Amino acid sequence: MSELKSAGKSFEISKREVWEAWEKVRANKGAAGVDGCSVEDFEADLKNNLYRVWNRMSSGSYFPPPVLAVEIPKPHGVGSRMLGVPTYPHAPVSMPSEPLSAPQQLRHSSS
């Protein structure tokens, strides 16, 4: 995957950054999101799926899909909280990595 920024892209996000974020997502072994897409489903066309995420993010046209709301108990047994499970196409974007979250932060802060 190329490290270079493609001409005509609004944000400098390398394909390697998207790949590394995907590796973290895969290592988490999470459940499918609201779209029902599993890790196996996403990996069936991994190259094109990751390209689509990178292309939309680097061009500034990425918008996160809805998340699956899952209620989980609080650690000390008092009450619960909601957890948002992202879809696999969104999961690499949602990993804690500043380069991957910067385009969304910029978009929301300028409105």
Side-chain angles (χ1 to χ4, degrees), residues 20-99:
E20 289 171 355
W22 167 249
E23 288 180 324
K24 291 178 188 177
V25 168
R26 185 176 43 205
N28 284 342
K29 300 179 183 172
V34 71
D35 64 353
C37 180
S38 67
V39 172
E40 293 80 18
D41 295 336
F42 190 80
E43 286 184 323
D45 194 16
L46 184 62
K47 184 177 178 181
N48 286 326
N49 287 330
L50 291 179
Y51 175 81
R52 201 169 10 254
V53 169
W54 167 80
N55 189 44
R56 290 177 182 164
M57 288 180 63
S58 60
S59 68
S61 65
Y62 178 82
F63 293 96
V67 296
L68 176 64
V70 176
E71 195 170 337
I72 61 171
K74 288 190 173 179
H76 302 292
V78 182
S80 61
R81 68 181 182 92
M82 295 304 287
L83 174 71
V85 179
T87 61
Y88 276 103
H90 174 65
V93 181
S94 66
M95 289 305 294
S97 172
E98 182 167 337

